[in-house]
Amino acid sequence: MTSPAPVRIGIIGGGLMGREAASALARWFALVDFPVKAELVAVCDLQPGLLDWFRQVPTVKTLVTSHRELLARDDIDVVYAAVPHHLHEEIYLDVLRAGKDLFAEKPFGIDLAAARRIRDEAKKLGRFVRVSSEFPFLPGVQRAWSLAASGSLGRILEVRCAFLHSSDLDPTKPINWKRQSKFCGEIGVMGDLGLHVAHVPLRLGWKPTSVYAQLQKIYTTRPDGKGGTAACDTWDNASLHCSAPIAGHATPLTLEMKRLAPTETNTWIFEVLGTDRGVRYSTKEPKTFWSFRRDKEQWWEKTDLGFGTPFKTITGGIFEPGFPDILQQMWAAYLAERAGALGDKFGCATPDEAVAHHEIWAAALASHSGQKVVSL
Ligand SMILES: NC(=O)c1ccc[n+]([C@@H]2O[C@H](COP(=O)([O-])OP(=O)(O)OC[C@H]3O[C@@H](n4cnc5c(N)ncnc54)[C@H](O)[C@@H]3O)[C@@H](O)[C@H]2O)c1
């Protein structure tokens, strides 16, 4: 039996996330009985020094500084684009119009209007497009998601979802594009961290119908890395107090995205409290799943989950998964769904879901500027 030809992947933007994608694809053989083969074949970045790093990946044959040159090639099936947000619309549309499928990075366009244009073009051209969001592929999140979806929690009292960083507490940290609205977008930290926060509640159908947002700009200047200072004009912290109908009841849903949250290094939190049961998961305790139950007494019980990832790998069941593992799982979900082989597993964020996120962020901006509750 001949094995199927690999899906040939190109990357546009070989920075932090472009290299993570290369690493996930480079150890594809870790997946067991996975129906799709994948190979990174081409990379585009403006920085020649970064392209040099990709020379150590044996399957990469094409290294270019123009994304159009990469897209003109006919030996690429799927493009992963991981570039600053102001370039999303132009580059994503170019990918789609070049006849390639797209694995997009969040926030999927710099604002709501851009996200809608990308979604609509993908639909018109019939291209397969999904958006990166890796946290749902952690075993603890899978468990929390299925318990929350099971209907066994009773009446839902409240939901809290958060994604928290802390390195910006250091005022001497130099500026980068993610701290400047013209590159990151007016939505600031919501564009940067928000899809991670709202993806699971939206997938559960818990779509906010109203939002009251508190947005904070904390340090307004930062070192520019060249001896001077530069304006840091993005929203740093965002707390969104939403109401979402869950089983017919208006339910408090809090979405928190913060760059200045003391001690938190990439802490992703999902907590749902119901009258009968509850779930709590945080990457602060990456293998620990907490669940609440009630009989004569009330209990928070915790269990350590092993390597129970959605797609089986060679890694032993007692080991603990980390960021590179869930990134590979997310890629597996993308390629399985593209091949029609996802089954009932969790799929990556869809263009419609990305647009729904942008609708929340646009309402949050209106809420903050008008100091009012905004309906969605
Ligand atoms: N899923 C996640 O967990 C996660 C984490 C971080 C960032 N991101 C997202 O990934 C995307 C990229 O972020 P990053 O942290 O990798 O940024 P980065 O700054 O590390 O990398 C961006 C790269 O794009 C390159 N680039 C810029 N303009 C280009 C162009 N015209 N053509 C080709 N390359 C170009 C830059 O040289 C740089 O190497 C953003 O959308 C960001 O929100 C996702």
Side-chain angles (χ1 to χ4, degrees):
M1 197 178 93
T2 53
S3 56
V7 175
R8 298 160 302 176
I9 294 165
I11 291 176
I12 300 175
L16 178 73
M17 291 312 291
R19 278 172 291 164
E20 285 292 348
S23 153
L25 295 167
R27 56 185 198 98
W28 205 246
F29 48 72
L31 292 158
V32 174
D33 296 331
F34 190 72
V36 185
K37 288 200 164 45
E39 225 171 52
L40 176 62
V41 297
V43 181
C44 164
D45 199 288
L46 300 180
Q47 303 181 55
L50 279 177
L51 291 182
D52 279 343
W53 181 89
F54 286 93
R55 290 186 201 283
Q56 62 193 318
V57 183
T59 51
V60 172
K61 304 287 181 258
T62 302
L63 292 165
V64 291
T65 52
S66 152
H67 77 270
R68 295 212 168 88
E69 195 180 332
L70 182 143
L71 293 175
R73 299 191 63 91
D74 57 12
D75 59 355
I76 297 171
D77 308 304
V78 166
V79 171
Y80 170 61
V83 291
H85 304 166
H86 68 297
L87 300 172
H88 281 191
E89 181 174 1
E90 179 196 344
I91 290 184
Y92 293 3
L93 292 178
D94 284 349
V95 170
L96 300 170
R97 289 169 185 161
K100 320 287 188 202
D101 286 340
L102 172 67
F103 198 7
E105 262 302 342
K106 47 84 186 165
F108 201 65
I110 198 159
D111 56 20
L112 174 59
R116 285 182 173 149
R117 286 191 289 269
I118 303 163
R119 187 257 327 256
D120 294 348
E121 188 72 1
K123 204 171 278 180
K124 192 177 98 187
L125 296 173
R127 305 255 51 107
F128 181 72
V129 179
R130 291 291 179 269
V131 188
S132 164
S133 164
E134 61 275 11
F135 290 101
F137 298 97
L138 277 160
V141 182
Q142 291 280 315
R143 186 74 71 91
W145 169 65
S146 45
L147 192 55
S150 70
S152 66
L153 273 53
R155 167 126 176 221
I156 306 290
L157 301 166
E158 61 185 53
V159 182
R160 177 183 175 230
C161 307
F163 191 29
L164 310 173
H165 286 182
S166 58
S167 62
D168 280 25
L169 279 167
D170 175 3
T172 68
K173 178 178 162 180
I175 194 105
N176 59 29
W177 65 262
K178 294 174 187 169
R179 274 95 194 141
Q180 295 175 290
S181 292
K182 63 180 169 182
F183 304 121
C184 179
E186 288 300 317
I187 56 178
V189 70
M190 296 182 283
D192 215 11
L193 306 184
L195 201 137
H196 294 302
V197 172
H199 184 194
V200 173
L202 286 184
R203 182 62 62 89
L204 285 161
W206 301 348
K207 204 169 170 183
T209 49
S210 72
V211 56
Y212 176 73
Q214 291 175 297
L215 309 181
Q216 294 167 286
K217 291 184 184 180
I218 295 150
Y219 293 130
T220 53
T221 60
R222 284 197 173 273
D224 64 3
K226 299 173 209 147
T229 53
C232 175
D233 64 350
T234 49
W235 297 113
D236 289 316
N237 284 6
S239 299
L240 273 52
H241 310 281
C242 307
S243 178
I246 301 181
H249 302 287
T251 308
L253 165 66
T254 308
L255 305 174
E256 287 174 41
M257 292 131 279
K258 295 181 180 167
R259 290 178 178 153
L260 288 87
T263 77
E264 307 293 359
T265 52
N266 225 42
T267 306
W268 187 98
I269 297 165
F270 178 67
E271 182 173 303
V272 186
L273 300 178
T275 49
D276 298 333
R277 299 198 64 186
V279 298
R280 182 182 280 166
Y281 178 79
S282 165
T283 53
K284 200 110 176 153
E285 290 182 291
K287 57 183 181 177
T288 306
F289 173 72
W290 288 88
S291 66
F292 157 72
R293 77 178 161 84
R294 175 176 64 77
D295 45 40
K296 260 190 350 207
E297 291 179 299
Q298 299 181 8
W299 305 82
W300 272 110
E301 295 171 322
K302 74 170 185 170
T303 184
D304 270 6
L305 303 175
F307 208 87
T309 50
F311 297 95
K312 193 168 160 23
T313 72
I314 48 97
T315 303
I318 62 158
F319 297 141
E320 46 285 302
F323 187 85
D325 299 304
I326 56 171
L327 215 77
Q328 188 185 53
Q329 291 284 316
M330 176 181 78
W331 269 95
Y334 175 89
L335 290 170
E337 190 172 6
R338 181 177 179 272
L342 185 66
D344 58 1
K345 291 191 167 64
F346 197 99
C348 299
T350 64
D352 279 334
E353 285 175 331
V355 167
H357 283 82
H358 268 293
E359 287 167 354
I360 304 173
W361 318 142
L365 288 181
S367 163
H368 183 82
S369 71
Q371 288 293 294
K372 60 182 184 191
V373 176
V374 170
S375 296
L376 279 132

Coordinates of all heavy atoms in Angstrom, one line a residue, residues 22 66 74 82 92 135 143 155 159 166 270 368:
A22 N 6.8 25.2 12.7 CA 7.9 24.4 12.1 C 8.2 23.2 13.1 O 8.4 22.1 12.6 CB 9.1 25.2 11.8
S66 N 9.4 37.5 -0.1 CA 8.2 38.1 -0.6 C 7.1 37.0 -0.5 O 7.2 35.9 -1.0 CB 8.4 38.5 -2.1 OG 7.1 38.4 -2.7
D74 N 3.5 26.3 -7.1 CA 2.4 25.3 -7.2 C 2.6 24.1 -6.3 O 1.9 23.1 -6.4 CB 2.0 25.0 -8.6 CG 3.2 24.5 -9.4 OD1 4.2 24.1 -8.7 OD2 3.1 24.4 -10.6
A82 N 1.5 33.9 10.1 CA 1.7 34.4 11.4 C 2.5 35.7 11.4 O 3.7 35.7 11.6 CB 2.4 33.3 12.3
Y92 N -3.8 37.3 4.2 CA -4.8 36.2 4.1 C -5.6 36.2 2.8 O -5.8 35.1 2.2 CB -5.8 36.3 5.3 CG -5.2 36.1 6.7 CD1 -3.9 35.9 6.9 CD2 -6.1 36.2 7.8 CE1 -3.4 35.7 8.2 CE2 -5.6 36.0 9.1 CZ -4.2 35.8 9.3 OH -3.7 35.6 10.6
F135 N -5.3 26.2 23.1 CA -5.6 25.7 24.5 C -6.7 24.6 24.6 O -6.6 23.8 25.5 CB -5.9 26.9 25.4 CG -4.7 27.8 25.7 CD1 -4.5 28.9 25.0 CD2 -3.8 27.4 26.6 CE1 -3.4 29.7 25.2 CE2 -2.6 28.1 26.8 CZ -2.4 29.3 26.1
R143 N -11.5 17.9 29.0 CA -12.4 17.4 30.1 C -13.4 18.4 30.5 O -14.6 18.1 30.7 CB -11.5 16.9 31.2 CG -12.2 16.2 32.3 CD -12.6 14.7 31.9 NE -11.4 13.9 31.8 CZ -10.9 13.2 32.8 NH1 -11.5 13.2 34.0 NH2 -9.9 12.4 32.7
R155 N -28.2 24.3 36.9 CA -28.3 25.6 36.3 C -26.9 26.3 36.5 O -26.3 26.3 37.5 CB -29.3 26.4 37.1 CG -29.3 27.9 36.8 CD -30.6 28.4 36.4 NE -30.5 29.8 36.3 CZ -31.5 30.7 36.6 NH1 -32.6 30.2 37.2 NH2 -31.3 32.0 36.4
V159 N -19.7 32.0 34.7 CA -18.6 31.5 33.9 C -17.5 32.5 33.9 O -17.7 33.7 33.7 CB -19.0 31.2 32.4 CG1 -17.9 30.6 31.6 CG2 -20.2 30.4 32.3
S166 N 2.2 38.6 32.5 CA 2.7 39.6 33.5 C 4.0 40.3 33.0 O 4.4 41.2 33.7 CB 3.1 38.8 34.8 OG 4.0 37.8 34.5
F270 N -10.4 28.5 32.8 CA -11.8 28.3 32.4 C -12.5 27.8 33.7 O -12.1 26.7 34.2 CB -11.8 27.3 31.3 CG -13.2 27.0 30.8 CD1 -14.0 27.9 30.2 CD2 -13.7 25.7 31.0 CE1 -15.3 27.6 29.8 CE2 -14.9 25.3 30.5 CZ -15.7 26.3 29.9
H368 N -16.7 50.7 26.5 CA -15.7 51.5 27.3 C -15.8 53.0 27.0 O -15.8 53.9 27.9 CB -14.3 51.0 27.1 CG -13.3 51.7 27.9 ND1 -13.1 51.4 29.3 CD2 -12.5 52.8 27.7 CE1 -12.2 52.2 29.8 NE2 -11.8 53.1 28.9

